[in-house]
Each structure stands twice: as structure tokens, then as C-alpha cells.
């Protein structure tokens, strides 16, 4: 067969494939549609509302976990309970102490990606209290800011809440949150983790550069160690999920788009 005739045959074959719709191509992976949000210590799931509104508007199925803050085991169990209800793969998001929770609970097979928002991300065998002492926050130097009840539950002094936790929210909002705190058992901060989901699953991290509750340097260290896709938000307080919901929601949506479904 001459080279000329071979070119004609190949051209006709390619044309036929095009007319028939071409060869089967692998479909692009659909974005993950389920998002589970885990709050941190001293607050509850209502703080996620600004992020929730953006994500639901954009078509995501969003659920908030209300962790009891009575023990680390209880909080992980509460999160797993919600993960079991997910209709498919999900992105698990944690703020502050919620980062420790999602690190342990994130080994659940429903979870395909993790997002840390001004959050702790210990390794197995580590606890956030010890890591926090190694890289102290501004809060650590404020005597009397964290108070404890007779039965061992902690809370942030309401008089200090605005300055330390939420200086980029309105005073009215910060005052309300200071008076609606969920008291956290002191033990939740010092319980060592038994698993670290960021070792096997992709992760994203949001650094709040004006955070006074967790040192921004510690947040950066966590995310660098986990090889997280990281953004830094200048001027953002520990309440970054409320004060910068667009930026936080964008990171969550990126995780949903890029994590394997």
C-alpha cells in the first residue's frame, strides 16, 4: 500500500470517528457536593451561617456538626454520626479545635478532602495543648482570659471575647457569642489523637494572620507539615469564617472541585 493511500484511509477513519461522536473520553470528575462543617471550642455551629449561605447558594449540600465539647471522644463521635448520614463523598471542614476533630474523624471513608480554617492539625499521638505551648498564641499571655468551672469546663472571659476572638466582627455579634458560649471540657485540648487523616487525604488550610487564639505561625506550621494548599488572610481574626466567609467558602469549593469524587 502506498503512503498516499494509507493517508487517505487514516483520514477517512478519523472523519468517521468525528461524525460518530469520536472515541469515548474519560468524563471529568464531578465536584464533591457534600460539605460537613465542624465548629471549634466555645462556639457552636451557628457561626458557620455566612459560609453556609454561600455554599448552599452554589449548590452544595451542607451540614453543621454540633459538637458537645464534653470530651474529645464525644466530639469525634458526634462528627462521625453526621458523616454516616452523608449521601456520598464529602469535604470535612474544621475551625480551631474543630481541626483536631476532623483530623481524627476524617479517616472516615465518606471524607475525600479536609479544610482547616484557623485550625489545629495534630498528628497521631499529639495534642493541641502541647503544640500550642511550643508555639504560644497571644491568648496564652493573657492571664485570666480563659476561665474554668469547678467541674473542669473552660470558657473565654466575656469581657475579653471581642478583643481576642472576634475583633473583626461587630461588637454586638461578639457580645452575643460571648454570652452564648459552649463551655469546653479542659480535657478536649490535651487528649492525644489516634489518627491523622491529613496523612492520607488532600487538605487545604486557611491562615488567619491576625489570629490571637491560635498563633498564625502554628497554623502555617501545621499546614506546611500536612502539605496543605494554603491561603493567608491579612487582618483576619480567629473568627475568619464569619468575617471573611467569601474567602473561606472559596477554599472549600476548591477542595470540593479538586478532591477525588
Amino acid at each position: 500500500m502506498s503512503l498516499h493511500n494509507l493517508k487517505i484511509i487514516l483520514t477517512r477513519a478519523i472523519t468517521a470517528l468525528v461524525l460518530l461522536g469520536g472515541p469515548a473520553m474519560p468524563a471529568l470528575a464531578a465536584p464533591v457536593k457534600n460539605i460537613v462543617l465542624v465548629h471549634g471550642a466555645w462556639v457552636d455551629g451557628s457561626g458557620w451561617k455566612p459560609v453556609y449561605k454561600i455554599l448552599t447558594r452554589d449548590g452544595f449540600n451542607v451540614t453543621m456538626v454540633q459538637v458537645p465539647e464534653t470530651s474529645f471522644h464525644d466530639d469525634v463521635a458526634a462528627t462521625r454520626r453526621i458523616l454516616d448520614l452523608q449521601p456520598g463523598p464529602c469535604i470535612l471542614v474544621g475551625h480551631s479545635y474543630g481541626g483536631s476533630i476532623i483530623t481524627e474523624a476524617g479517616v472516615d471513608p465518606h471524607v475525600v478532602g479536609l479544610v482547616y480554617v484557623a485550625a489545629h492539625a495534630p498528628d497521631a499521638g499529639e495534642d493541641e495543648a502541647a503544640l500550642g505551648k511550643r508555639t504560644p498564641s497571644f491568648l496564652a499571655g493573657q492571664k485570666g482570659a480563659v476561665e474554668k468551672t469547678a467541674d473542669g469546663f473552660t470558657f473565654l472571659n466575656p469581657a475579653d471575647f471581642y478583643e481576642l476572638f472576634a475583633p473583626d466582627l461587630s461588637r454586638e455579634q461578639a457580645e452575643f457569642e460571648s454570652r452564648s458560649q459552649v463551655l469546653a471540657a479542659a480535657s478536649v485540648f490535651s487528649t492525644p489523637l489516634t489518627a491523622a487523616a491529613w496523612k492520607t487525604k488532600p487538605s487545604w488550610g486557611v491562615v488567619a494572620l491576625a489570629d490571637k487564639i491560635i498563633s498564625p505561625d502554628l497554623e502555617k506550621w501545621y499546614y506546611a507539615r500536612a502539605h496543605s494548599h494554603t491561603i493567608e488572610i491579612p487582618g483576619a481574626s480567629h473568627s475568619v469564617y464569619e468575617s471573611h466567609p467569601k474567602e473561606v467558602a472559596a477554599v472549600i469549593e476548591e477542595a470540593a472541585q479538586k478532591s477525588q469524587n
Side-chain angles (χ1 to χ4, degrees):
M1 182 184 295
S2 69
L3 181 61
H4 176 72
N5 289 338
L6 181 59
K7 287 181 177 179
I8 292 174
I9 292 171
L10 287 173
T11 300
R12 287 174 178 172
I14 292 171
T15 301
L17 280 171
V18 171
L19 291 174
L20 291 172
M25 299 295 289
L28 294 175
V32 176
K33 302 305 291 183
N34 303 301
I35 312 292
V36 174
L37 306 174
V38 182
H39 64 82
W42 306 326
V43 291
D44 64 18
S46 64
W48 284 113
K49 188 173 183 179
V51 171
Y52 168 87
K53 290 174 68 175
I54 295 170
L55 294 175
T56 54
R57 180 200 66 198
D58 292 344
F60 291 92
N61 171 43
V62 186
T63 309
M64 275 70 64
V65 180
Q66 296 284 17
V67 296
E69 304 183 40
T70 47
S71 74
F72 183 66
H73 174 78
D74 290 345
D75 295 343
V76 171
T79 302
R80 288 175 173 156
R81 201 169 294 124
I82 296 301
L83 292 175
D84 286 344
L85 298 176
Q86 299 307 299
C90 72
I91 301 299
L92 185 58
V93 184
H95 169 250
S96 191
Y97 159 63
S100 293
I101 297 171
I102 72 168
T103 298
E104 179 101 359
V107 296
D108 185 282
H110 287 91
V111 179
V112 294
L114 306 161
V115 179
Y116 293 91
V117 182
H120 290 283
D123 197 351
E126 296 178 343
D127 65 83
E128 64 179 65
L131 293 169
K133 289 179 181 177
R134 202 166 69 186
T135 309
S137 65
F138 181 85
L139 170 65
Q142 308 307 300
K143 188 176 181 180
V146 178
E147 300 190 8
K148 186 185 291 187
T149 64
D151 59 347
F153 280 73
T154 65
F155 62 99
L156 193 58
N157 187 326
D160 296 317
F161 195 96
Y162 174 75
E163 179 189 349
L164 298 177
F165 201 99
D168 50 0
L169 300 184
S170 70
R171 282 191 174 272
E172 180 183 14
Q173 179 67 15
E175 174 69 15
F176 177 81
E177 293 187 9
S178 77
R179 297 295 175 179
S180 60
Q181 291 185 62
V182 180
L183 276 62
S187 64
V188 304
F189 307 117
S190 56
T191 301
L193 274 66
T194 63
W198 50 259
K199 286 187 169 181
T200 57
K201 297 184 181 182
S203 61
W204 283 255
V206 176
V207 178
L209 288 177
D211 197 334
K212 294 181 179 179
I213 302 296
I214 302 175
S215 167
D217 289 336
L218 181 56
E219 294 172 19
K220 293 176 188 178
W221 179 80
Y222 278 135
Y223 307 155
R225 180 175 68 167
H227 304 291
S228 305
H229 310 276
T230 304
I231 70 162
E232 299 178 2
I233 304 182
S237 78
H238 196 57
S239 293
V240 58
Y241 63 118
E242 295 179 273
S243 60
H244 294 77
K246 291 181 181 179
E247 293 94 325
V248 172
V251 173
I252 296 170
E253 293 192 10
E254 178 184 332
Q257 183 65 55
K258 294 184 177 179
S259 296
Q260 183 177 355
N261 189 342

